[in-house]
Amino acid sequence: MLNQLTISELTARLATRQCSAREAMQACLERVARVDGRVKAFLSYDAADALARAEAADKAIAAGANFKQRPLLGVPIAVKDVLCVKNHPCNCGSKILDKFISPYDATVIERLKAAGAIVFGRLNMDEFAMGSSTENSAFFTTLNPWDTTRIPGGSSGGSAAAVAADEAIATLGSDTGGSIRQPAALCGVVGLKPTYGRVSRYGLVAFASSLDQVGPFTKDVRDAATMLGVISGLDPRDSTSVPEPVPNYAAALNGGIKGVKLGLPREYMIGGLDAEVKLAVDSAVQQLQKLGAQLMEISLPHTDYAGATYYIIAPAEASANLARFDGIRYGLRVDGAGPIELYGNTRGAGFGAEVKRRIILGTYVLSSGYYDAYYLRAQKVRTLIRQDFLKAFEKVDAIVTPTTPTAAFKAGEKSGDPLEMYLSDIFTVAANVAGICGISVPCGFTRSPRLPIGLQLLGKPFGEETILQIAHAYEQNTGWHKEKPPLP
Amino acid sequence: MPTTGFDVKYVAHLARIELTPEEERKLAAQLGNILGYIEKLKELDVSQVEPTAHAVPMLNVTRPDEVRPGLSNEQALRNAPSRAGGLFMVPKIVE
């Protein structure tokens, strides 16, 4: 089944003409047709466009195109509905964008296309990437391929579920407080959040500009390295992208991890940590030690403040970023007596409950008289959180934690209580606040029901090579990433 | 609960979001809880700490001041909810 292959397996077959890109694309489309009624990962896809692009890839392969230069040639890749794909809709899981059609490609989409990928569908998400379950999507809730009574995580839940269900070879998502790593953990796939500045945000609809990064969901660590290599690098259209050279991530994977120093932060062993998750992470840590890693306990003393810092900074930035959805230049318009009423009516009708909650919270923490008490204070605590990490990275090469405190929860279980939902990101938000990189890899399952568990590795700023290498070494010695959900 | 001074109706107006009375009631309660949670930061002494706006601070990123191609008028107006004569149509602003 071609849709089950990894990027490296598929491109190897394409290069030796064992299959065509059209066949691979067709296999993914058939899989979507068979299972997506239950998983509901896709908001839309254009099968005719996808097959035409696959045929173009086959022609390029026949003409001798080089997989070294175009490492994703003929590979079907779907993307989160927060990335602009030229001449395709973009809704960000919201009603407010209405019939919006992107006039240009996001930089990451341009780069995927330049690398030969077939970008073929839009994946469901929490509205404007605000949420941890996809239950905040204005369209529908995506379900976890391992248990379709449960959520896939969020906000990039569609991106994680599509890879877990083999509906795409790989996908892109975005991570503002854990929105790649958390759903990757809950769906049993690999998810990578790059260092802030590593990947261009041009064409990524902004949620919290100082925290957002685009990153891949893949079936193994090698594919994550390949995808990261394609999407990384300086972009003159994003002034926060960094002129740091892009290493050959995939080539760095083969070394062992003997002598690599891993930090275990004592603050992450909290009360709310599920016993089965703890067991799986402990045994992953032992496995890493067997592979030659040196373990040491470290302290990240301000861990307990990361959530509160995040829930000031992210809504504050969102309240400014989402001001553009005003019913004037694009998207929904609900008329009113004057412009102020038009804005209020449009935004009142177009935004869902969580987005309203965060915009109002963000507006409040930035408002006159409260700015210093909330926003400025949060920015100062942000400094302390970042310093905790930088200090720890003087002693260790990477930090190991669980990705989430529990496995996937039931749909509806937390949707009534926003604060409880926020706490499912407790292990992932700090990396965004500090601007460092992180990856989640499968590290086991709960017993009954059988649900995936994720191991998180956090790395230094621009230390993606190191965490990929550690994750790869771990994966090579375990079989977790090869397990498939029971989805006929 | 630190809701003193938190007037949902007023802040929603600042944010240009029209709320139903039911939404106002619900949001006031939920935001009260969330504000209680973020009050935690007041435990820390940050008087000697510099704020971080961006994790990777880069200053003065500039480009040459040259004309470059952008969206055409047609492309820019393609998604407009209301348009006429190559312009966005908006409600009357000045009497």
Side-chain angles (χ1 to χ4, degrees), chain A residues 130-149:
Chain A
M130 297 176 187
S132 310
S133 69
T134 72
E135 289 167 295
N136 296 332
S137 167
F139 301 101
F140 44 76
T141 298
T142 299
L143 295 165
N144 193 313
W146 289 90
D147 176 348
T148 52
T149 66

Side-chain angles (χ1 to χ4, degrees), chain A residues 86-87 99-104 195-197 201 209-210 236 239-243 302 304-305 307-309 311-312 317 327-333 336-340 342-345 347-348 351 353 356-357 359-361 363-365 367 370 373-374 376-384 386 416 418-419 422-423 426 433-435 462, chain B residues 2-20 23-24 26-63 68 71-72 74-83 87-95:
Chain A
K86 192 172 180 173
N87 295 330
K99 297 182 187 71
F100 183 82
I101 303 290
S102 297
Y104 56 81
T195 306
Y196 185 81
R201 294 179 296 109
S209 303
S210 80
S239 65
T240 63
S241 73
V242 171
H302 297 93
D304 211 14
Y305 300 95
T309 303
Y311 280 101
I312 293 173
E317 294 184 7
I328 302 297
R329 288 155 300 164
Y330 38 70
L332 181 74
R333 175 184 288 191
I340 303 286
L342 180 152
Y343 298 152
N345 290 345
R347 292 159 65 80
F351 288 137
K356 288 178 185 170
R357 213 154 28 231
I359 292 176
I360 289 170
L361 178 62
T363 304
Y364 177 69
V365 299
S367 65
Y370 298 98
Y374 290 114
L376 189 63
R377 176 169 285 266
Q379 286 190 313
K380 289 180 176 179
V381 180
R382 185 174 189 179
T383 303
L384 298 174
R386 182 167 163 83
L419 196 53
Y422 295 175
L423 297 178
I426 193 127
V433 171
F462 304 99
Chain B
T3 45
T4 357
F6 189 80
D7 177 349
V8 174
K9 212 181 169 80
Y10 173 68
V11 182
H13 172 73
L14 289 180
R16 302 289 183 262
I17 296 176
E18 187 65 31
L19 297 176
T20 63
E23 282 179 313
E24 265 171 35
K26 221 170 164 180
L27 271 170
Q30 289 168 334
L31 289 170
N33 286 338
I34 297 167
L35 285 171
Y37 172 63
I38 64 183
E39 288 289 309
K40 191 175 178 55
L41 297 192
K42 301 214 162 132
E43 294 167 7
L44 292 170
D45 175 10
V46 290
S47 55
Q48 305 302 314
V49 183
E50 288 294 313
T52 296
H54 262 86
V56 187
M58 294 202 300
L59 300 172
N60 300 331
V61 178
T62 60
R63 61 171 174 80
R68 294 182 192 190
L71 293 183
S72 67
E74 181 48 40
Q75 283 172 318
L77 288 171
R78 179 178 176 182
N79 289 298
S82 176
R83 56 186 278 192
L87 301 167
F88 294 106
M89 288 277 278
V90 298
K92 196 168 169 184
I93 292 166
V94 183
E95 285 303 324

Side-chain angles (χ1 to χ4, degrees), chain A residues 105-325:
Chain A
D105 277 329
T107 297
V108 291
I109 301 298
E110 252 177 20
R111 289 185 177 176
L112 285 184
K113 287 179 177 174
I118 304 159
V119 178
F120 81 101
R122 293 184 304 131
L123 296 161
N124 194 32
M125 57 186 279
D126 287 294
E127 185 177 6
F128 287 105
M130 297 176 187
S132 310
S133 69
T134 72
E135 289 167 295
N136 296 332
S137 167
F139 301 101
F140 44 76
T141 298
T142 299
L143 295 165
N144 193 313
W146 289 90
D147 176 348
T148 52
T149 66
R150 291 170 191 270
I151 54 84
S155 66
S156 314
S159 303
V163 171
D166 287 317
E167 296 174 274
I169 305 298
T171 62
L172 285 184
S174 63
D175 190 316
T176 304
S179 282
I180 290 176
R181 290 158 289 155
Q182 185 255 19
L186 302 193
C187 289
V189 298
V190 175
L192 172 70
K193 182 203 97 73
T195 306
Y196 185 81
R198 176 75 292 182
V199 178
S200 168
R201 294 179 296 109
Y202 178 79
L204 165 72
V205 179
F207 159 17
S209 303
S210 80
L211 305 166
D212 298 340
Q213 273 290 288
V214 179
F217 287 87
T218 56
K219 295 171 189 175
D220 67 13
V221 173
R222 178 169 298 280
D223 281 4
T226 303
M227 290 281 281
L228 182 66
V230 169
I231 62 174
S232 290
L234 180 67
D235 175 14
R237 294 172 298 189
D238 174 5
S239 65
T240 63
S241 73
V242 171
E244 186 85 13
V246 180
N248 185 339
Y249 293 111
L253 295 180
N254 296 322
I257 58 164
K258 219 172 196 73
V260 165
K261 296 193 194 85
L262 296 179
L264 302 168
R266 68 176 75 101
E267 291 82 4
Y268 280 61
M269 291 300 142
I270 54 156
L273 183 60
D274 176 85
E276 285 182 288
V277 172
K278 184 175 186 311
L279 200 67
V281 170
D282 285 346
S283 92
V285 167
Q286 282 166 18
Q287 180 79 27
L288 287 165
Q289 192 172 24
K290 266 190 230 151
L291 295 171
Q294 287 176 32
L295 302 177
M296 60 182 81
E297 192 180 280
I298 58 163
S299 175
L300 300 167
H302 297 93
T303 296
D304 211 14
Y305 300 95
T309 303
Y310 177 81
Y311 280 101
I312 293 173
I313 291 173
E317 294 184 7
S319 73
N321 276 325
L322 272 62
R324 70 188 55 150
F325 301 102

Side-chain angles (χ1 to χ4, degrees), chain A residues 440-474:
Chain A
S440 179
V441 290
C443 74
F445 289 86
T446 59
R447 197 162 301 164
S448 180
R450 194 162 188 271
L451 300 169
I453 297 168
L455 178 76
Q456 178 175 239
L457 292 159
L458 298 174
K460 296 175 188 178
F462 304 99
E464 283 84 353
E465 268 179 296
T466 306
I467 56 172
L468 283 164
Q469 201 174 4
I470 299 164
H472 182 70
Y474 173 74

Side-chain angles (χ1 to χ4, degrees), chain A residues 392-427:
Chain A
F393 284 130
E394 285 170 11
K395 286 186 283 187
V396 298
D397 300 301
I399 294 170
V400 190
T401 80
T403 309
T404 58
T406 67
F409 43 93
K410 291 255 188 197
E413 190 180 325
K414 298 187 182 185
S415 54
D417 183 349
L419 196 53
E420 202 188 326
M421 188 71 90
Y422 295 175
L423 297 178
S424 69
D425 290 340
I426 193 127
F427 297 142

